[in-house]
Amino acid sequence: MQAFNNGIRAPFKIFYGHDPNKLHRWRIKLDCGSVEECLTYGEPPNKCPMRDTLTGVPLPLGQRLCKSHAAGPAPYRTIDDWLERSEVIFPPDPVEPKYDLAPGIWQLMRKDYERTVAYWTVKLSCSHQTKVVTDLGWRPGDEPRTTAERQREMLEENEADRLLNPEPDVEEQMIRDHLRRMLNDGWPSPSPEAQCSTCSYARWIVGYQSLDWLVPRPKPPNPRPPKRELLTNRLNKLEADAAELRRELEQLP
Ligand SMILES: [Zn+2]
Ligand SMILES: [Zn+2]
């Protein structure tokens, strides 16, 4: 039995809480090209609900988390639905920029005072969920607030950043596209879109192949031969016995 690095033996790690006799093995292909094995309770992998291990929220049927590829940048998705609201107290932002933001952008976004905000669970256009923050008084259906002054500042910052880095990588380009949409809309608050970390590692199943039950099932006993075959065998034996008896009779004096 092979042990993992953390000392947990493989069967316990994989099957804890599951009955191995009910698990079926599948080979699946994901749209990123990865080929992996997975276990279900017999249903095809694209009908087996999976959870996003980060958010705990079920993934759309047919999606799985790819174990082979590192997560890419989290794309921006439109917010389709505002689901749950709670209130959270945030301490003042640090002076040093967070989230790898440029110091100029951080200075514009930074709040140097403690504040209470609304913390929303939202459903995105990709069907995944994430959390976003809004002003306390904002409710779904309210017009987003826009600030002409802030828009102008962000526009200048965005332009300066574009000039400083004329060849952005994929992630940088994605952020710029988001900023451009925000600027075109007057820098609305709350933003109509949010980054989806689940999209950066969830992949669609594009093919699957049944392997076997994890614990192979006993083969069914050979089926009984058909009745005609049984009767023919019996008749052949009786005829052979009869021929033998006739030979013995002929040999009697
Ligand atoms: Zn992959
Ligand atoms: Zn998503």
Side-chain angles (χ1 to χ4, degrees):
M1 198 175 344
Q2 187 188 356
F4 279 78
N5 289 340
N6 59 7
I8 301 172
R9 289 190 179 277
F12 283 120
K13 185 179 168 78
I14 298 170
F15 307 130
Y16 180 73
H18 295 277
D19 180 353
N21 290 298
K22 294 181 178 169
L23 292 173
H24 194 282
R25 289 171 55 219
W26 301 86
R27 182 174 294 132
I28 53 170
K29 185 170 183 186
L30 304 175
D31 63 1
C32 55
S34 296
V35 175
E36 298 180 354
E37 267 199 31
C38 73
L39 297 169
T40 75
Y41 275 102
E43 69 271 50
N46 60 350
K47 297 283 189 296
C48 175
M50 289 285 297
R51 274 179 194 282
D52 178 350
T53 44
L54 276 188
T55 63
V57 176
L59 292 168
L61 267 186
Q63 268 192 352
R64 293 185 69 88
L65 306 182
C66 173
K67 298 178 207 147
S68 312
H69 286 105
Y76 286 89
R77 305 291 191 208
T78 306
I79 296 172
D80 276 356
D81 214 353
W82 299 77
L83 302 174
E84 275 179 35
R85 178 187 184 279
S86 59
E87 293 184 6
V88 179
I89 299 171
F90 280 112
D93 287 330
V95 177
E96 286 301 309
K98 286 168 72 177
Y99 320 117
D100 291 332
L101 285 171
I105 292 184
W106 179 243
Q107 278 308 311
L108 290 169
M109 296 173 66
R110 177 173 173 253
K111 307 276 193 310
D112 58 359
Y113 49 87
E114 181 183 278
R115 63 209 186 279
T116 305
V117 297
Y119 196 54
W120 287 88
T121 303
V122 294
K123 185 176 179 190
L124 303 170
S125 55
C126 52
S127 296
H128 300 140
Q129 293 183 15
T130 191
K131 308 272 189 188
V132 297
V133 163
T134 72
D135 291 339
L136 265 188
W138 185 85
R139 287 290 186 279
D142 289 356
E143 278 296 310
R145 298 183 187 114
T146 57
T147 320
E149 176 65 12
R150 192 157 184 218
Q151 183 188 8
R152 189 185 58 75
E153 288 171 340
M154 295 303 285
L155 198 57
E156 287 170 0
E157 188 68 30
N158 191 43
E159 182 64 17
D161 198 35
R162 194 179 63 78
L163 290 173
L164 280 175
N165 184 5
E167 291 181 6
D169 61 15
V170 174
E171 185 166 15
E172 179 63 29
Q173 185 60 52
M174 204 175 65
I175 293 170
R176 284 187 191 187
D177 290 343
H178 165 71
L179 292 177
R180 183 173 40 74
R181 289 191 294 274
M182 289 287 286
L183 291 167
N184 288 342
D185 291 348
W187 205 262
S189 175
S191 168
E193 50 186 52
Q195 278 186 289
C196 182
S197 56
T198 307
C199 266
S200 63
Y201 51 84
R203 299 282 175 254
W204 289 101
I205 295 172
V206 292
Y208 60 84
Q209 176 190 9
S210 170
L211 295 177
D212 196 358
W213 292 96
L214 185 63
V215 180
R217 303 276 158 102
K219 294 223 170 355
N222 285 336
R224 284 173 62 82
K227 190 160 187 184
R228 173 176 291 278
E229 195 179 324
L230 285 174
L231 288 175
T232 308
N233 289 346
R234 201 169 144 210
L235 185 59
N236 290 343
K237 180 158 190 319
L238 286 172
E239 283 177 346
D241 287 350
E244 178 65 24
L245 285 173
R246 279 195 200 94
R247 258 198 311 280
E248 284 183 26
L249 268 174
E250 284 168 8
Q251 286 169 7
L252 286 178

